[in-house]
Amino acid sequence: MQYDTPLTASGQVLTELPMREQLRRGFKDMGQRSLSSAKNFGKVGAIFAGTECCIEGFRAKNTLSNGIAAGCITGGVLAAPAGPQAAAVGCAGFALFSAAIDAYMRMPAEKD
């Protein structure tokens, strides 16, 4: 339903339905996509948090490099099915994003 526009054949059928049925189908599709997104977000969060916790426990330190390493491992694991180049890019991208967020969160609070 995502690409059902009035210009496609399935979109023509959809526009001929009563408004209530159109809304019902739209909300059903939105619910299915929301559940899928929630599962993916949970998977990413679980891999990252679990990896960071293991690294922090192993090193017995709470440093910025823990998040960077966890980000690299998470990005690599998630992109691994697409091949080694994708895993390397996923590793670098997720590590960079993790470093930026972690550095921002560790900034000292401003005092008024």
Side-chain angles (χ1 to χ4, degrees):
M1 182 164 174
Q2 181 178 1
Y3 299 106
D4 290 340
T5 66
L7 302 177
T8 64
S10 59
Q12 288 290 330
V13 173
L14 189 64
T15 57
E16 294 172 0
L17 294 173
M19 181 61 73
R20 186 178 182 120
E21 180 63 19
Q22 289 180 29
L23 288 171
R24 187 187 74 73
R25 288 186 183 190
F27 282 125
K28 182 178 179 184
D29 185 54
M30 185 173 60
Q32 290 171 344
R33 291 184 189 278
S34 297
L35 182 61
S36 175
S37 294
K39 286 179 183 178
N40 288 334
F41 187 75
K43 178 178 157 184
V44 170
I47 293 170
F48 179 79
T51 305
E52 187 179 30
C53 186
C54 288
I55 292 171
E56 194 169 308
F58 179 73
R59 294 185 65 222
K61 294 180 184 177
N62 184 0
T63 61
L64 187 65
S65 60
N66 293 346
I68 295 171
C72 179
I73 292 169
T74 302
V77 167
L78 293 174
Q85 185 177 5
V89 171
C91 170
F94 214 110
L96 184 64
F97 180 74
S98 177
I101 295 298
D102 212 6
Y104 176 76
M105 295 299 289
R106 290 175 185 265
M107 287 176 33
E110 293 182 20
K111 294 186 180 182
D112 293 332

